[in-house]
Amino acid sequence: MKISVKMTARDLFLFSMYNSWFGATGILNLIFSVGALFLLIFTWGQNNMYQRALLIFCALVFTVVQPIMLHFKSQKQAEQIGFSTPINLTLTDEKIAVEQAGVEGDLTWNHVWKVIRLKSMFILKMGPAQGYLIPNRSIEGRE
């Protein structure tokens, strides 16, 4: 199967959100945010203005601020040459052939660490920090 993948800012944003919210980091982010919100609500009358502002910031940093920052980062990243140039993947039973801007390489399937299925894409992970994003629009209508 041949797949041509052109990354968009939305693809990169969804992948960044996945990395931020799934796993131990996401659980800690959620505990931190809920804990700050809990403290804000139940100690409101005992806190001064600065403590309230700090607790509001702590409650919002991972739930609002971080996604906004990831959105802007994804937009900048999508404009870079490495992301704006399509990646062509050819998947066979033996290997994954990769081509981008005339540079070619092959990966055998035993190099694939894991495959993650999200609502909008597949992620072929070659390790904890390396992988290929395959948005659903790249493979729609294929068998």
Side-chain angles (χ1 to χ4, degrees), residues 44-63:
W44 184 266
Q46 302 156 0
N47 293 334
N48 63 38
M49 183 180 69
Y50 298 109
Q51 291 169 323
R52 290 176 187 162
L54 181 61
L55 285 172
I56 289 169
F57 176 76
C58 289
L60 297 178
V61 72
F62 293 115
T63 56

mmCIF file with all atom_site columns, all heavy atoms in Angstrom, residues 44-63:
data_model
loop_
_atom_site.group_PDB
_atom_site.id
_atom_site.type_symbol
_atom_site.label_atom_id
_atom_site.label_alt_id
_atom_site.label_comp_id
_atom_site.label_asym_id
_atom_site.label_entity_id
_atom_site.label_seq_id
_atom_site.pdbx_PDB_ins_code
_atom_site.Cartn_x
_atom_site.Cartn_y
_atom_site.Cartn_z
_atom_site.occupancy
_atom_site.B_iso_or_equiv
_atom_site.pdbx_formal_charge
_atom_site.auth_seq_id
_atom_site.auth_comp_id
_atom_site.auth_asym_id
_atom_site.auth_atom_id
_atom_site.pdbx_PDB_model_num
ATOM 1   N N   . TRP A 1 44 ? -11.106 29.486 49.150 1.00 0.00 ? 44 TRP A N   1
ATOM 2   C CA  . TRP A 1 44 ? -11.336 30.812 48.563 1.00 0.00 ? 44 TRP A CA  1
ATOM 3   C C   . TRP A 1 44 ? -11.357 31.916 49.623 1.00 0.00 ? 44 TRP A C   1
ATOM 4   O O   . TRP A 1 44 ? -10.690 32.937 49.474 1.00 0.00 ? 44 TRP A O   1
ATOM 5   C CB  . TRP A 1 44 ? -12.642 30.808 47.773 1.00 0.00 ? 44 TRP A CB  1
ATOM 6   C CG  . TRP A 1 44 ? -12.913 32.094 47.070 1.00 0.00 ? 44 TRP A CG  1
ATOM 7   C CD1 . TRP A 1 44 ? -13.661 33.145 47.516 1.00 0.00 ? 44 TRP A CD1 1
ATOM 8   C CD2 . TRP A 1 44 ? -12.418 32.481 45.799 1.00 0.00 ? 44 TRP A CD2 1
ATOM 9   N NE1 . TRP A 1 44 ? -13.674 34.160 46.600 1.00 0.00 ? 44 TRP A NE1 1
ATOM 10  C CE2 . TRP A 1 44 ? -12.915 33.780 45.521 1.00 0.00 ? 44 TRP A CE2 1
ATOM 11  C CE3 . TRP A 1 44 ? -11.597 31.878 44.848 1.00 0.00 ? 44 TRP A CE3 1
ATOM 12  C CZ2 . TRP A 1 44 ? -12.632 34.467 44.362 1.00 0.00 ? 44 TRP A CZ2 1
ATOM 13  C CZ3 . TRP A 1 44 ? -11.319 32.564 43.683 1.00 0.00 ? 44 TRP A CZ3 1
ATOM 14  C CH2 . TRP A 1 44 ? -11.822 33.843 43.444 1.00 0.00 ? 44 TRP A CH2 1
ATOM 15  N N   . GLY A 1 45 ? -12.101 31.732 50.675 1.00 0.00 ? 45 GLY A N   1
ATOM 16  C CA  . GLY A 1 45 ? -12.236 32.767 51.692 1.00 0.00 ? 45 GLY A CA  1
ATOM 17  C C   . GLY A 1 45 ? -10.976 32.990 52.515 1.00 0.00 ? 45 GLY A C   1
ATOM 18  O O   . GLY A 1 45 ? -10.812 34.038 53.140 1.00 0.00 ? 45 GLY A O   1
ATOM 19  N N   . GLN A 1 46 ? -10.084 32.046 52.525 1.00 0.00 ? 46 GLN A N   1
ATOM 20  C CA  . GLN A 1 46 ? -8.861  32.150 53.322 1.00 0.00 ? 46 GLN A CA  1
ATOM 21  C C   . GLN A 1 46 ? -7.675  32.700 52.531 1.00 0.00 ? 46 GLN A C   1
ATOM 22  O O   . GLN A 1 46 ? -6.636  33.000 53.106 1.00 0.00 ? 46 GLN A O   1
ATOM 23  C CB  . GLN A 1 46 ? -8.497  30.769 53.879 1.00 0.00 ? 46 GLN A CB  1
ATOM 24  C CG  . GLN A 1 46 ? -9.588  30.165 54.726 1.00 0.00 ? 46 GLN A CG  1
ATOM 25  C CD  . GLN A 1 46 ? -9.493  28.657 54.781 1.00 0.00 ? 46 GLN A CD  1
ATOM 26  O OE1 . GLN A 1 46 ? -8.623  28.052 54.189 1.00 0.00 ? 46 GLN A OE1 1
ATOM 27  N NE2 . GLN A 1 46 ? -10.429 28.046 55.494 1.00 0.00 ? 46 GLN A NE2 1
ATOM 28  N N   . ASN A 1 47 ? -7.817  32.787 51.205 1.00 0.00 ? 47 ASN A N   1
ATOM 29  C CA  . ASN A 1 47 ? -6.705  33.205 50.350 1.00 0.00 ? 47 ASN A CA  1
ATOM 30  C C   . ASN A 1 47 ? -6.802  34.677 49.992 1.00 0.00 ? 47 ASN A C   1
ATOM 31  O O   . ASN A 1 47 ? -7.894  35.216 49.804 1.00 0.00 ? 47 ASN A O   1
ATOM 32  C CB  . ASN A 1 47 ? -6.683  32.391 49.058 1.00 0.00 ? 47 ASN A CB  1
ATOM 33  C CG  . ASN A 1 47 ? -6.367  30.933 49.299 1.00 0.00 ? 47 ASN A CG  1
ATOM 34  O OD1 . ASN A 1 47 ? -5.716  30.584 50.272 1.00 0.00 ? 47 ASN A OD1 1
ATOM 35  N ND2 . ASN A 1 47 ? -6.839  30.077 48.416 1.00 0.00 ? 47 ASN A ND2 1
ATOM 36  N N   . ASN A 1 48 ? -5.627  35.310 49.844 1.00 0.00 ? 48 ASN A N   1
ATOM 37  C CA  . ASN A 1 48 ? -5.624  36.682 49.352 1.00 0.00 ? 48 ASN A CA  1
ATOM 38  C C   . ASN A 1 48 ? -5.647  36.662 47.822 1.00 0.00 ? 48 ASN A C   1
ATOM 39  O O   . ASN A 1 48 ? -5.628  35.599 47.202 1.00 0.00 ? 48 ASN A O   1
ATOM 40  C CB  . ASN A 1 48 ? -4.418  37.477 49.905 1.00 0.00 ? 48 ASN A CB  1
ATOM 41  C CG  . ASN A 1 48 ? -3.090  36.906 49.440 1.00 0.00 ? 48 ASN A CG  1
ATOM 42  O OD1 . ASN A 1 48 ? -2.938  36.463 48.302 1.00 0.00 ? 48 ASN A OD1 1
ATOM 43  N ND2 . ASN A 1 48 ? -2.112  36.919 50.341 1.00 0.00 ? 48 ASN A ND2 1
ATOM 44  N N   . MET A 1 49 ? -5.668  37.831 47.227 1.00 0.00 ? 49 MET A N   1
ATOM 45  C CA  . MET A 1 49 ? -5.796  37.949 45.776 1.00 0.00 ? 49 MET A CA  1
ATOM 46  C C   . MET A 1 49 ? -4.653  37.234 45.027 1.00 0.00 ? 49 MET A C   1
ATOM 47  O O   . MET A 1 49 ? -4.871  36.589 44.012 1.00 0.00 ? 49 MET A O   1
ATOM 48  C CB  . MET A 1 49 ? -5.835  39.422 45.381 1.00 0.00 ? 49 MET A CB  1
ATOM 49  C CG  . MET A 1 49 ? -6.042  39.655 43.894 1.00 0.00 ? 49 MET A CG  1
ATOM 50  S SD  . MET A 1 49 ? -6.097  41.391 43.448 1.00 0.00 ? 49 MET A SD  1
ATOM 51  C CE  . MET A 1 49 ? -4.407  41.897 43.730 1.00 0.00 ? 49 MET A CE  1
ATOM 52  N N   . TYR A 1 50 ? -3.442  37.344 45.518 1.00 0.00 ? 50 TYR A N   1
ATOM 53  C CA  . TYR A 1 50 ? -2.289  36.746 44.848 1.00 0.00 ? 50 TYR A CA  1
ATOM 54  C C   . TYR A 1 50 ? -2.336  35.212 44.910 1.00 0.00 ? 50 TYR A C   1
ATOM 55  O O   . TYR A 1 50 ? -1.999  34.535 43.932 1.00 0.00 ? 50 TYR A O   1
ATOM 56  C CB  . TYR A 1 50 ? -0.986  37.267 45.460 1.00 0.00 ? 50 TYR A CB  1
ATOM 57  C CG  . TYR A 1 50 ? -0.837  38.752 45.289 1.00 0.00 ? 50 TYR A CG  1
ATOM 58  C CD1 . TYR A 1 50 ? -0.954  39.606 46.373 1.00 0.00 ? 50 TYR A CD1 1
ATOM 59  C CD2 . TYR A 1 50 ? -0.607  39.309 44.028 1.00 0.00 ? 50 TYR A CD2 1
ATOM 60  C CE1 . TYR A 1 50 ? -0.840  40.977 46.221 1.00 0.00 ? 50 TYR A CE1 1
ATOM 61  C CE2 . TYR A 1 50 ? -0.492  40.679 43.866 1.00 0.00 ? 50 TYR A CE2 1
ATOM 62  C CZ  . TYR A 1 50 ? -0.605  41.508 44.957 1.00 0.00 ? 50 TYR A CZ  1
ATOM 63  O OH  . TYR A 1 50 ? -0.494  42.858 44.794 1.00 0.00 ? 50 TYR A OH  1
ATOM 64  N N   . GLN A 1 51 ? -2.762  34.678 46.039 1.00 0.00 ? 51 GLN A N   1
ATOM 65  C CA  . GLN A 1 51 ? -2.889  33.225 46.160 1.00 0.00 ? 51 GLN A CA  1
ATOM 66  C C   . GLN A 1 51 ? -3.983  32.704 45.236 1.00 0.00 ? 51 GLN A C   1
ATOM 67  O O   . GLN A 1 51 ? -3.826  31.659 44.612 1.00 0.00 ? 51 GLN A O   1
ATOM 68  C CB  . GLN A 1 51 ? -3.188  32.837 47.609 1.00 0.00 ? 51 GLN A CB  1
ATOM 69  C CG  . GLN A 1 51 ? -2.017  33.078 48.539 1.00 0.00 ? 51 GLN A CG  1
ATOM 70  C CD  . GLN A 1 51 ? -2.390  32.940 50.008 1.00 0.00 ? 51 GLN A CD  1
ATOM 71  O OE1 . GLN A 1 51 ? -3.486  33.327 50.417 1.00 0.00 ? 51 GLN A OE1 1
ATOM 72  N NE2 . GLN A 1 51 ? -1.466  32.396 50.791 1.00 0.00 ? 51 GLN A NE2 1
ATOM 73  N N   . ARG A 1 52 ? -5.084  33.439 45.144 1.00 0.00 ? 52 ARG A N   1
ATOM 74  C CA  . ARG A 1 52 ? -6.163  33.044 44.231 1.00 0.00 ? 52 ARG A CA  1
ATOM 75  C C   . ARG A 1 52 ? -5.680  33.064 42.780 1.00 0.00 ? 52 ARG A C   1
ATOM 76  O O   . ARG A 1 52 ? -5.961  32.144 42.018 1.00 0.00 ? 52 ARG A O   1
ATOM 77  C CB  . ARG A 1 52 ? -7.356  33.978 44.381 1.00 0.00 ? 52 ARG A CB  1
ATOM 78  C CG  . ARG A 1 52 ? -8.089  33.808 45.692 1.00 0.00 ? 52 ARG A CG  1
ATOM 79  C CD  . ARG A 1 52 ? -9.199  34.824 45.813 1.00 0.00 ? 52 ARG A CD  1
ATOM 80  N NE  . ARG A 1 52 ? -9.807  34.782 47.131 1.00 0.00 ? 52 ARG A NE  1
ATOM 81  C CZ  . ARG A 1 52 ? -10.542 35.738 47.642 1.00 0.00 ? 52 ARG A CZ  1
ATOM 82  N NH1 . ARG A 1 52 ? -10.794 36.836 46.945 1.00 0.00 ? 52 ARG A NH1 1
ATOM 83  N NH2 . ARG A 1 52 ? -11.049 35.612 48.848 1.00 0.00 ? 52 ARG A NH2 1
ATOM 84  N N   . ALA A 1 53 ? -4.956  34.115 42.413 1.00 0.00 ? 53 ALA A N   1
ATOM 85  C CA  . ALA A 1 53 ? -4.437  34.224 41.040 1.00 0.00 ? 53 ALA A CA  1
ATOM 86  C C   . ALA A 1 53 ? -3.492  33.073 40.735 1.00 0.00 ? 53 ALA A C   1
ATOM 87  O O   . ALA A 1 53 ? -3.539  32.490 39.642 1.00 0.00 ? 53 ALA A O   1
ATOM 88  C CB  . ALA A 1 53 ? -3.738  35.569 40.850 1.00 0.00 ? 53 ALA A CB  1
ATOM 89  N N   . LEU A 1 54 ? -2.640  32.736 41.692 1.00 0.00 ? 54 LEU A N   1
ATOM 90  C CA  . LEU A 1 54 ? -1.714  31.627 41.501 1.00 0.00 ? 54 LEU A CA  1
ATOM 91  C C   . LEU A 1 54 ? -2.455  30.299 41.343 1.00 0.00 ? 54 LEU A C   1
ATOM 92  O O   . LEU A 1 54 ? -2.132  29.495 40.469 1.00 0.00 ? 54 LEU A O   1
ATOM 93  C CB  . LEU A 1 54 ? -0.724  31.546 42.669 1.00 0.00 ? 54 LEU A CB  1
ATOM 94  C CG  . LEU A 1 54 ? 0.320   30.429 42.580 1.00 0.00 ? 54 LEU A CG  1
ATOM 95  C CD1 . LEU A 1 54 ? 1.200   30.610 41.348 1.00 0.00 ? 54 LEU A CD1 1
ATOM 96  C CD2 . LEU A 1 54 ? 1.161   30.391 43.838 1.00 0.00 ? 54 LEU A CD2 1
ATOM 97  N N   . LEU A 1 55 ? -3.465  30.071 42.163 1.00 0.00 ? 55 LEU A N   1
ATOM 98  C CA  . LEU A 1 55 ? -4.244  28.829 42.064 1.00 0.00 ? 55 LEU A CA  1
ATOM 99  C C   . LEU A 1 55 ? -5.039  28.767 40.754 1.00 0.00 ? 55 LEU A C   1
ATOM 100 O O   . LEU A 1 55 ? -5.154  27.708 40.146 1.00 0.00 ? 55 LEU A O   1
ATOM 101 C CB  . LEU A 1 55 ? -5.168  28.677 43.268 1.00 0.00 ? 55 LEU A CB  1
ATOM 102 C CG  . LEU A 1 55 ? -4.477  28.277 44.566 1.00 0.00 ? 55 LEU A CG  1
ATOM 103 C CD1 . LEU A 1 55 ? -5.445  28.353 45.737 1.00 0.00 ? 55 LEU A CD1 1
ATOM 104 C CD2 . LEU A 1 55 ? -3.882  26.880 44.453 1.00 0.00 ? 55 LEU A CD2 1
ATOM 105 N N   . ILE A 1 56 ? -5.561  29.913 40.311 1.00 0.00 ? 56 ILE A N   1
ATOM 106 C CA  . ILE A 1 56 ? -6.263  29.950 39.020 1.00 0.00 ? 56 ILE A CA  1
ATOM 107 C C   . ILE A 1 56 ? -5.291  29.607 37.898 1.00 0.00 ? 56 ILE A C   1
ATOM 108 O O   . ILE A 1 56 ? -5.598  28.807 37.015 1.00 0.00 ? 56 ILE A O   1
ATOM 109 C CB  . ILE A 1 56 ? -6.927  31.323 38.792 1.00 0.00 ? 56 ILE A CB  1
ATOM 110 C CG1 . ILE A 1 56 ? -8.111  31.487 39.738 1.00 0.00 ? 56 ILE A CG1 1
ATOM 111 C CG2 . ILE A 1 56 ? -7.370  31.486 37.343 1.00 0.00 ? 56 ILE A CG2 1
ATOM 112 C CD1 . ILE A 1 56 ? -8.683  32.900 39.778 1.00 0.00 ? 56 ILE A CD1 1
ATOM 113 N N   . PHE A 1 57 ? -4.106  30.199 37.942 1.00 0.00 ? 57 PHE A N   1
ATOM 114 C CA  . PHE A 1 57 ? -3.095  29.888 36.929 1.00 0.00 ? 57 PHE A CA  1
ATOM 115 C C   . PHE A 1 57 ? -2.731  28.409 36.958 1.00 0.00 ? 57 PHE A C   1
ATOM 116 O O   . PHE A 1 57 ? -2.642  27.761 35.909 1.00 0.00 ? 57 PHE A O   1
ATOM 117 C CB  . PHE A 1 57 ? -1.839  30.748 37.126 1.00 0.00 ? 57 PHE A CB  1
ATOM 118 C CG  . PHE A 1 57 ? -0.749  30.398 36.157 1.00 0.00 ? 57 PHE A CG  1
ATOM 119 C CD1 . PHE A 1 57 ? -0.820  30.806 34.840 1.00 0.00 ? 57 PHE A CD1 1
ATOM 120 C CD2 . PHE A 1 57 ? 0.340   29.629 36.569 1.00 0.00 ? 57 PHE A CD2 1
ATOM 121 C CE1 . PHE A 1 57 ? 0.177   30.462 33.935 1.00 0.00 ? 57 PHE A CE1 1
ATOM 122 C CE2 . PHE A 1 57 ? 1.337   29.284 35.675 1.00 0.00 ? 57 PHE A CE2 1
ATOM 123 C CZ  . PHE A 1 57 ? 1.260   29.701 34.349 1.00 0.00 ? 57 PHE A CZ  1
ATOM 124 N N   . CYS A 1 58 ? -2.515  27.857 38.141 1.00 0.00 ? 58 CYS A N   1
ATOM 125 C CA  . CYS A 1 58 ? -2.166  26.437 38.270 1.00 0.00 ? 58 CYS A CA  1
ATOM 126 C C   . CYS A 1 58 ? -3.274  25.535 37.726 1.00 0.00 ? 58 CYS A C   1
ATOM 127 O O   . CYS A 1 58 ? -2.993  24.508 37.096 1.00 0.00 ? 58 CYS A O   1
ATOM 128 C CB  . CYS A 1 58 ? -1.871  26.087 39.725 1.00 0.00 ? 58 CYS A CB  1
ATOM 129 S SG  . CYS A 1 58 ? -0.322  26.786 40.327 1.00 0.00 ? 58 CYS A SG  1
ATOM 130 N N   . ALA A 1 59 ? -4.514  25.919 37.952 1.00 0.00 ? 59 ALA A N   1
ATOM 131 C CA  . ALA A 1 59 ? -5.631  25.119 37.460 1.00 0.00 ? 59 ALA A CA  1
ATOM 132 C C   . ALA A 1 59 ? -5.733  25.176 35.937 1.00 0.00 ? 59 ALA A C   1
ATOM 133 O O   . ALA A 1 59 ? -6.165  24.210 35.298 1.00 0.00 ? 59 ALA A O   1
ATOM 134 C CB  . ALA A 1 59 ? -6.936  25.578 38.088 1.00 0.00 ? 59 ALA A CB  1
ATOM 135 N N   . LEU A 1 60 ? -5.322  26.289 35.345 1.00 0.00 ? 60 LEU A N   1
ATOM 136 C CA  . LEU A 1 60 ? -5.459  26.481 33.901 1.00 0.00 ? 60 LEU A CA  1
ATOM 137 C C   . LEU A 1 60 ? -4.216  26.136 33.093 1.00 0.00 ? 60 LEU A C   1
ATOM 138 O O   . LEU A 1 60 ? -4.298  25.990 31.879 1.00 0.00 ? 60 LEU A O   1
ATOM 139 C CB  . LEU A 1 60 ? -5.863  27.930 33.611 1.00 0.00 ? 60 LEU A CB  1
ATOM 140 C CG  . LEU A 1 60 ? -7.205  28.387 34.167 1.00 0.00 ? 60 LEU A CG  1
ATOM 141 C CD1 . LEU A 1 60 ? -7.434  29.854 33.847 1.00 0.00 ? 60 LEU A CD1 1
ATOM 142 C CD2 . LEU A 1 60 ? -8.334  27.532 33.634 1.00 0.00 ? 60 LEU A CD2 1
ATOM 143 N N   . VAL A 1 61 ? -3.066  26.006 33.722 1.00 0.00 ? 61 VAL A N   1
ATOM 144 C CA  . VAL A 1 61 ? -1.816  25.860 32.968 1.00 0.00 ? 61 VAL A CA  1
ATOM 145 C C   . VAL A 1 61 ? -1.811  24.622 32.059 1.00 0.00 ? 61 VAL A C   1
ATOM 146 O O   . VAL A 1 61 ? -1.378  24.709 30.914 1.00 0.00 ? 61 VAL A O   1
ATOM 147 C CB  . VAL A 1 61 ? -0.578  25.902 33.902 1.00 0.00 ? 61 VAL A CB  1
ATOM 148 C CG1 . VAL A 1 61 ? -0.442  24.644 34.731 1.00 0.00 ? 61 VAL A CG1 1
ATOM 149 C CG2 . VAL A 1 61 ? 0.686   26.145 33.102 1.00 0.00 ? 61 VAL A CG2 1
ATOM 150 N N   . PHE A 1 62 ? -2.304  23.489 32.520 1.00 0.00 ? 62 PHE A N   1
ATOM 151 C CA  . PHE A 1 62 ? -2.276  22.289 31.689 1.00 0.00 ? 62 PHE A CA  1
ATOM 152 C C   . PHE A 1 62 ? -3.568  22.079 30.898 1.00 0.00 ? 62 PHE A C   1
ATOM 153 O O   . PHE A 1 62 ? -3.575  21.336 29.923 1.00 0.00 ? 62 PHE A O   1
ATOM 154 C CB  . PHE A 1 62 ? -2.003  21.047 32.547 1.00 0.00 ? 62 PHE A CB  1
ATOM 155 C CG  . PHE A 1 62 ? -0.628  21.044 33.138 1.00 0.00 ? 62 PHE A CG  1
ATOM 156 C CD1 . PHE A 1 62 ? -0.450  21.116 34.501 1.00 0.00 ? 62 PHE A CD1 1
ATOM 157 C CD2 . PHE A 1 62 ? 0.494   20.986 32.328 1.00 0.00 ? 62 PHE A CD2 1
ATOM 158 C CE1 . PHE A 1 62 ? 0.818   21.128 35.057 1.00 0.00 ? 62 PHE A CE1 1
ATOM 159 C CE2 . PHE A 1 62 ? 1.771   21.004 32.866 1.00 0.00 ? 62 PHE A CE2 1
ATOM 160 C CZ  . PHE A 1 62 ? 1.932   21.068 34.238 1.00 0.00 ? 62 PHE A CZ  1
ATOM 161 N N   . THR A 1 63 ? -4.645  22.731 31.328 1.00 0.00 ? 63 THR A N   1
ATOM 162 C CA  . THR A 1 63 ? -5.922  22.524 30.651 1.00 0.00 ? 63 THR A CA  1
ATOM 163 C C   . THR A 1 63 ? -6.238  23.583 29.604 1.00 0.00 ? 63 THR A C   1
ATOM 164 O O   . THR A 1 63 ? -7.010  23.320 28.690 1.00 0.00 ? 63 THR A O   1
ATOM 165 C CB  . THR A 1 63 ? -7.068  22.485 31.687 1.00 0.00 ? 63 THR A CB  1
ATOM 166 O OG1 . THR A 1 63 ? -7.030  23.686 32.453 1.00 0.00 ? 63 THR A OG1 1
ATOM 167 C CG2 . THR A 1 63 ? -6.942  21.286 32.605 1.00 0.00 ? 63 THR A CG2 1
#
